[in-house]
Amino acid sequence: MKRALIGLLALGLGLGLAQQAPLKIGVVVSATGPAASLGIPERNTLVLLEEQVNRRGGVAGRPVQFIVIDDASDTTQAVRATRRLIQEDQVLAIIGTTTTPASLGMIDPVAEAGVPKISMAANLEIVFPVDEKRRWVFKTPQTEQQMSIPIVRDMQASNVRTVAYIGFNDAYGEGWARAFEAAAREAGIQVVASERFARTDTSVAGQVLRILARNPDAVLIGGSGTAPVLPQRTLRERGYRGLIYQTHGVANPDFLRVGGEVVVGTRLPAGPVLVFDQLPPDFPNRQVATSYVQQYESRFGIGSYSTFGGHAFDAWAILRPALERALRREQTTNLAAFRRVLRDELEATRNVVGTHGIFNMSPTDHLGLRFNEAAVMVEIVRDANGKLDWKLLRTFR
């Protein structure tokens, strides 16, 4: 009798939740195309979170609905998806997208409509300066400026005096070129070559030959996903034996799978979630990162997690409490007013512990991460079983 009563109560709660109008959140990710190795774990994470939050009663007693659109790693499709989510689906906010060029392209439509957006791309210009357009935009990944610091410090410790750069010929690669060159110059490291390649290129022989002619102590490759394997493989095949650095844009299992032996010894900065089990016990977000990885791997398989899924997790970690606060202030029936209140509450984010660090937003900072909590330096190694893995080199706290 008691079990039957509990079952009826649970059924009643479930029906009550289902009858409530869902809180619709738009999601744009690059689940196909060159950035798929980044976008798939982002999409998977949000699918997992949607199931969890609704199973536990939703947000303020209302179900959450993530409306997910794949932009195929294409800026035009990302902008089109953004307009559809705003105009047709009437979403409260948007999470997305995966890549820097597409995230930059989404700024105009969200600003025009007054819809808050949380990007999962790295470029500083997505959120800075916080002007009339960018006041609607927030993001979770570390910037190129922040991640240049651990690279330069590692180069100094390794006695690197000259370095070459080769990066994407788009906003991601250009952003990294500017940020890294400034950090290197300040540290007294000379950038002796600066080359570009397209995400879809099949050869970078000419660029690599020009780099080799300068004989740099190290090379930094400014790309994301699996495409940066190409210049690294070409460098090694042409006999380069110096240090090779990558950016946090390659911190995913597919980079290891595609790169194989050629990426052993690569150094890169990454969010602490990448090496969650190697962090010091008192690292501020070790517990959250560990919990996320365990949840993700229980659903999608051991070794399937990446830092990019962590960016999606962090976007929801910021958005959920902001939604709860906004719902106490404004009803969703007045969509424009609710979006404005939600934007204000996102900007009021304080002390949210995510997989990549602790978020504290402000009117002039729509990222809110401190470098020393959000970055670690890692190296790609072979473990005792011969499997490629990430090894923590140092933290910066």
Side-chain angles (χ1 to χ4, degrees):
M1 180 70 178
K2 186 179 292 185
R3 286 183 180 177
L5 180 60
I6 292 171
L8 287 170
L9 287 170
L11 178 61
L13 288 171
L15 289 172
L17 184 65
Q19 290 167 356
Q20 293 285 324
L23 302 169
K24 293 193 290 187
I25 308 299
V27 176
V28 185
V29 293
S30 302
T32 58
S37 65
L38 287 60
I40 290 172
E42 293 170 350
R43 180 199 62 194
N44 289 349
T45 296
L46 291 167
V47 168
L48 183 65
L49 288 169
E50 182 182 33
E51 293 173 354
Q52 288 180 351
V53 71
N54 288 333
R55 190 166 58 244
R56 296 169 184 171
V59 174
R62 293 176 61 176
V64 172
Q65 179 186 4
F66 289 133
I67 302 172
V68 182
I69 300 177
D70 173 21
D71 66 19
S73 307
D74 179 77
T75 298
T76 301
Q77 293 195 46
V79 173
R80 186 181 300 124
T82 302
R83 295 193 186 279
R84 190 201 108 175
L85 290 168
I86 294 169
Q87 297 166 4
E88 298 179 24
D89 297 301
Q90 299 284 289
V91 297
L92 305 177
I94 293 175
I95 297 174
T97 184
T98 306
T99 66
T100 285
S103 286
L104 289 167
M106 291 167 67
I107 293 174
D108 279 347
V110 298
E112 290 166 5
V115 180
K117 176 179 96 82
I118 304 175
S119 173
M120 297 179 289
N123 188 268
L124 175 66
E125 293 179 8
I126 295 168
V127 293
F128 183 84
V130 183
D131 52 22
E132 282 303 304
K133 291 183 178 181
R134 288 173 176 81
R135 68 187 300 270
W136 293 97
V137 184
F138 303 81
K139 75 187 210 71
T140 54
Q142 303 88 337
T143 67
E144 318 94 310
Q145 285 74 9
Q146 289 174 321
M147 290 310 217
S148 290
I149 298 171
I151 293 176
V152 167
R153 290 187 181 180
D154 191 85
M155 287 180 174
Q156 287 178 307
S158 302
N159 296 315
V160 170
R161 293 181 173 82
T162 60
V163 61
Y165 174 80
I166 177 170
F168 284 163
N169 62 348
D170 60 24
Y172 185 89
E174 294 302 328
W176 260 100
R178 290 191 298 271
F180 174 71
E181 288 172 11
R185 184 166 55 250
E186 186 174 343
I189 298 171
Q190 184 182 5
V191 179
V192 295
S194 188
E195 300 288 340
R196 303 292 183 272
F197 69 106
R199 293 173 186 254
T200 55
D201 277 352
T202 57
S203 173
V204 290
Q207 297 95 313
V208 166
L209 287 174
R210 287 191 289 273
I211 287 172
L212 294 177
R214 304 309 299 269
N215 193 29
D217 297 328
V219 176
L220 170 62
I221 301 171
S224 61
T226 58
V229 170
L230 176 63
Q232 181 149 352
R233 177 177 288 119
T234 307
L235 281 161
R236 292 307 190 205
E237 288 174 349
R238 298 282 180 165
Y240 183 70
R241 294 293 176 262
L243 288 171
I244 295 181
Y245 292 82
Q246 294 273 358
T247 74
H248 57 320
V250 305
N252 70 88
D254 277 355
F255 180 77
L256 302 183
R257 176 184 58 80
V258 173
E261 188 63 30
V262 78
V263 300
V264 173
T266 304
R267 299 181 185 182
L268 63 142
V273 65
L274 186 66
V275 286
F276 69 99
D277 53 348
Q278 300 175 51
L279 297 171
D282 62 343
F283 203 88
N285 65 325
R286 175 173 175 146
Q287 184 176 350
V288 171
T290 301
S291 175
Y292 163 68
V293 172
Q294 290 172 344
Q295 293 173 54
Y296 191 94
E297 290 189 331
S298 69
R299 175 69 179 275
F300 299 105
I302 299 298
S304 60
Y305 79 97
S306 77
T307 61
F308 300 96
H311 295 317
F313 182 95
D314 292 349
W316 179 241
I318 293 166
L319 183 56
R320 177 172 182 161
L323 273 171
E324 291 172 343
R325 296 192 301 269
L327 286 166
R328 291 195 291 267
R329 293 179 52 192
E330 181 67 49
Q331 296 300 308
T332 55
T333 50
N334 186 335
L335 187 57
F338 185 83
R339 287 166 169 171
R340 288 193 296 270
V341 170
L342 181 56
R343 189 221 74 87
D344 293 345
E345 292 298 343
L346 284 168
E347 195 172 81
T349 295
R350 299 289 184 276
N351 299 316
V352 170
V353 181
T355 63
H356 284 267
I358 301 173
F359 292 88
N360 287 283
M361 305 290 186
S362 76
T364 58
D365 184 356
H366 281 193
L367 169 61
L369 284 176
R370 294 195 304 176
F371 143 75
N372 60 339
E373 294 171 343
V376 297
M377 199 69 189
V378 304
E379 182 178 7
I380 298 173
V381 299
R382 287 204 177 274
D383 64 18
N385 298 316
K387 179 183 175 184
L388 288 177
D389 202 359
W390 316 98
K391 177 185 177 182
L392 176 64
L393 293 179
R394 59 181 59 85
T395 66
F396 299 92
R397 293 182 65 228

